[in-house]
Amino acid sequence: GAGVSQSPSNKVTEKGKDVELRCDPISGHTALYWYRQSLGQGLEFLIYFQGNSAPDKSGLPSDRFSAERTGGSVSTLTIQRTQQEDSAVYLCASSPPDLGGYTFGSGTRLTVV
Amino acid sequence: QKEVEQNSGPLSVPEGAIASLNCTYSDRGSQSFFWYRQYSGKSPELIMSIYSNGDKEDGRFTAQLNKASQYVSLLIRDSQPSDSATYLCAVNDFRDDKIIFGKGTRLHILP
């Protein structure tokens, strides 16, 4: 597609439920990143995929968070047993092989009630 | 711990004036530098990238890089109300691949 596509755009879930967030990167972009942004805060790095290499999971805040990238394209971020502090906008970005800057998707706004 | 520091603002600038946004970074190995603009409720948008010392101009925007001082800045000439947004400085070194973002500077252009 023309841009990075994320779905759903909004998600309201009950505390304790699992959620899955999807990211479809720009075609040909080998790198894919997940960030989250709480209200009025900066971007918090979560996880990074580059080609077929093992992902950099150093930013995942707890073992309730996991992500996978199938076929080097679409990625899914899963949050298990959601907590209220997980409420944030989850942003996906992709970049070309020369790492010349990211293109962000429009994000998924997650609200845990 | 690699860090990117920005003044959080808000920085208020009269319409038509030059807005100057500054950023410092801690890792001397950094090689790529980016400025993103983020409107309220929207995702960040890449507006400038710079890779070598000196100035890079694109329309009303000029990015300035000084690697010796570990300093990168963004100048916005003839500021417009539509420039009001949060500006994020971001830095990357190829040893690590991922970009580190500053917390952003809120810019308010006064009509």
Side-chain angles (χ1 to χ4, degrees):
Chain A
V4 178
S5 177
Q6 290 189 246
S7 62
S9 55
N10 280 285
K11 177 71 177 179
V12 180
T13 189
E14 291 181 353
K15 178 180 173 181
K17 299 285 190 183
D18 298 351
V19 295
E20 286 189 350
L21 312 180
R22 176 188 167 100
C23 173
D24 195 347
I26 292 172
S27 178
H29 280 196
T30 55
L32 186 149
Y33 310 81
W34 284 97
Y35 286 81
R36 75 176 175 181
Q37 189 171 37
S38 301
L39 188 63
Q41 301 299 309
L43 291 166
E44 177 187 3
F45 167 77
L46 297 177
I47 189 169
Y48 157 58
F49 296 89
Q50 174 61 279
N52 295 320
S53 302
D56 176 351
K57 304 179 181 180
S58 60
L60 294 179
S62 77
D63 59 7
R64 297 186 295 105
F65 288 73
S66 63
E68 63 176 18
R69 187 180 185 190
T70 54
S73 181
V74 172
S75 177
T76 302
L77 176 69
T78 301
I79 309 172
Q80 296 178 310
R81 305 180 302 281
T82 52
Q83 303 295 313
Q84 287 187 328
E85 61 263 28
D86 299 334
S87 296
V89 175
Y90 288 80
L91 290 162
C92 176
S94 68
S95 68
D98 64 0
L99 299 175
Y102 300 172
T103 299
F104 282 89
S106 55
T108 294
R109 181 175 300 277
L110 176 66
T111 303
V112 182
V113 298
Chain B
Q1 179 77 7
K2 298 173 187 175
E3 293 183 345
V4 178
E5 299 287 343
Q6 295 181 257
N7 188 320
S8 63
L11 174 66
S12 295
V13 174
E15 183 176 357
I18 296 175
S20 178
L21 304 164
N22 304 314
C23 170
T24 59
Y25 58 94
S26 63
D27 183 10
R28 284 195 172 274
S30 300
Q31 299 179 9
S32 303
F33 307 86
F34 309 94
W35 283 99
Y36 285 80
R37 177 177 63 199
Q38 187 174 26
Y39 292 115
S40 181
K42 302 294 185 183
S43 56
E45 171 193 13
L46 179 66
I47 56 171
M48 288 289 285
S49 57
I50 186 167
Y51 304 98
S52 55
N53 279 328
D55 294 0
K56 178 181 178 182
E57 186 174 319
D58 184 0
R60 295 187 295 113
F61 298 98
T62 298
Q64 300 175 317
L65 175 62
N66 184 327
K67 289 186 178 180
S69 300
Q70 295 174 243
Y71 178 93
V72 59
S73 64
L74 178 71
L75 301 179
I76 306 174
R77 291 181 299 281
D78 188 22
S79 297
Q80 303 296 310
S82 59
D83 295 326
S84 296
T86 296
Y87 288 80
L88 302 169
C89 174
V91 173
N92 162 267
D93 74 77
F94 292 115
R95 297 167 296 177
D96 200 354
D97 289 346
K98 63 179 180 284
I99 293 176
I100 305 299
F101 286 85
K103 294 190 184 299
T105 298
R106 284 185 296 136
L107 175 66
H108 184 207
I109 305 302
L110 303 170

